[in-house]
Amino acid sequence: MKVIHTISEMQQYSKEQHKAGKVVGIVPTMGYLHDGHLSLVDTARANGATVVVVTIFVNPIQFAPNEDFEKYPRDLQRDCALLEAKNVDAVFAPSVKEMYGEEPTCFVVENKLSKGLCAKTRPTHFQGVTTVVAKLFNAVLPDIAVFGQKDAQQARVLKRMVRDLNFPIQLVISPLIREKDGLALSSRNKYLSPEERKNALVLSRSLKEAQETLEKDGMSIPAILDSIKGKIASSGGKVDYVECVDAETLEDVRSRTGKEIMFVLAAYFGNTRLIDNVLFKY
Ligand code: PAF
């Protein structure tokens, strides 16, 4: 497995792969990998990637000053061992200086899907994500890009970016992966105390119950949203948002659409902000 740190070497590697007729898949990550990330590698291959490049970069511009950029967990050696075992072809792990060294004044902004949900408490987050992902695309030159359903809003924003800016890339959204007890896999789960982790199980549990209730038309959507909020609060969580939205447009859903919809939420357990969602047709 090749470990590449510079954009020029990355582009060179990718051009060689294309010349050899390979289909290059990119799996962008911030490292500290878990099974959710590793499943994205499988999704890239299942969608035709014959070379998989995993990028590992903790992107400073998607963190607000009060957020966890400094303490975000990092372990490149461990990540590389996991990816090597997964037969990943290359890791692109640039430094902050390599990515942003020239004091950039150009950014990529999505103006609709990136405004609600997580953006209400993280207003600068998605501009950081779209900008870095555009830069990673230009470094890795992929044919296929895989993002997780865990970050449901991010995946839709990036899909829109690919569409609107004509990136010649097939964007694939890979299913959310959970622990056996239901907790959505996240590098940030590491911050949770045992007590907080136990309390946080309310998220997946209440989303599952919400889906079941809606599927049997047992309650209106606003009543279900209130019920999820109540369950989170009584388990010691602090609700950031709980919404029911169209899975493509992220617009509020209040009645049956016949399309894919999602219950999406964010909540704090202690100082840790967790997100989760459930996606189904309704
Ligand atoms: O989902 C993530 O880990 C990050 O937001 C991404 C897509 C790698 C951009 O930094």
Side-chain angles (χ1 to χ4, degrees):
M1 187 180 73
K2 236 176 140 55
V3 181
I4 299 172
H5 296 289
T6 66
I7 294 168
S8 60
E9 200 192 329
M10 187 64 245
Q11 289 168 332
Q12 191 55 37
Y13 173 85
S14 206
K15 284 179 190 167
E16 281 161 18
Q17 301 308 316
H18 284 130
K19 235 186 242 160
K22 306 278 190 193
V23 177
V24 177
I26 184 174
V27 174
T29 81
M30 298 205 300
Y32 211 72
L33 303 176
H34 50 64
D35 286 347
H37 296 113
L38 299 178
S39 76
L40 304 181
V41 172
D42 296 330
T43 300
R45 291 213 178 95
N47 281 273
T50 51
V51 164
V52 177
V53 180
V54 175
T55 72
I56 297 179
F57 180 63
V58 185
N59 173 36
I61 71 165
Q62 71 186 73
F63 292 80
N66 61 330
E67 291 182 350
D68 55 343
F69 173 68
E70 295 297 340
K71 75 165 195 180
Y72 195 86
R74 294 161 171 87
D75 193 341
L76 184 60
Q77 231 181 344
R78 174 181 162 278
D79 288 345
C80 285
L82 288 170
L83 295 174
E84 182 113 53
K86 205 75 195 151
N87 290 319
V88 161
D89 300 275
V91 169
F92 178 51
S95 65
V96 172
K97 187 155 178 279
E98 178 70 7
M99 290 295 276
Y100 295 116
E102 303 295 333
E103 286 191 34
T105 55
C106 281
F107 298 89
V108 178
V109 184
E110 193 287 326
N111 261 327
K112 190 161 183 218
L113 305 179
S114 63
K115 293 302 170 200
L117 305 178
C118 285
K120 292 217 174 104
T121 40
R122 307 186 75 192
T124 56
H125 172 68
F126 288 109
Q127 174 173 319
V129 171
T130 43
T131 300
V132 81
V133 171
K135 287 167 73 70
L136 291 169
F137 284 174
N138 285 333
V140 175
L141 307 172
D143 304 291
I144 298 170
V146 183
F147 296 90
Q149 169 62 17
K150 160 80 188 335
D151 295 288
Q153 186 179 12
Q154 165 175 284
R156 274 58 184 193
V157 169
L158 291 171
K159 211 168 175 181
R160 186 58 62 90
M161 178 184 87
V162 164
R163 184 194 83 174
D164 288 355
L165 300 186
N166 308 109
F167 280 99
I169 295 169
Q170 181 199 346
L171 190 148
V172 179
I173 302 176
S174 191
L176 193 156
I177 307 291
R178 300 183 180 281
E179 305 271 13
K180 273 207 182 70
D181 59 9
L183 189 68
L185 293 191
S186 164
S187 306
R188 289 190 168 101
N189 291 348
K190 168 187 157 64
Y191 301 148
L192 297 168
S193 70
E195 171 84 9
E196 288 163 353
R197 194 195 172 289
K198 201 171 96 219
N199 293 342
L201 295 178
V202 69
L203 301 182
S204 54
R205 205 168 47 232
S206 60
L207 286 169
K208 188 161 173 275
E209 288 163 1
Q211 176 180 357
E212 287 164 0
T213 306
L214 191 60
E215 279 175 339
K216 54 176 195 258
D217 287 321
M219 253 196 241
S220 71
I221 290 174
I224 293 176
L225 296 177
D226 283 344
S227 149
I228 299 172
K229 288 176 194 165
K231 287 175 190 169
I232 294 172
S234 52
S235 298
K238 188 171 145 264
V239 174
D240 179 353
Y241 67 82
V242 182
E243 298 288 353
C244 182
V245 296
D246 180 284
E248 204 178 299
T249 63
L250 302 183
E251 277 161 16
D252 282 344
V253 168
R254 289 294 175 266
S255 58
R256 194 179 280 277
T257 65
K259 296 194 291 178
E260 292 208 303
I261 66 162
M262 311 188 275
F263 282 106
V264 285
L265 59 77
Y268 294 86
F269 287 82
N271 291 325
T272 306
R273 184 174 177 279
L274 299 177
I275 56 174
D276 201 347
N277 66 80
V278 62
L279 168 74
F280 59 102
K281 217 167 177 183
Y282 175 75

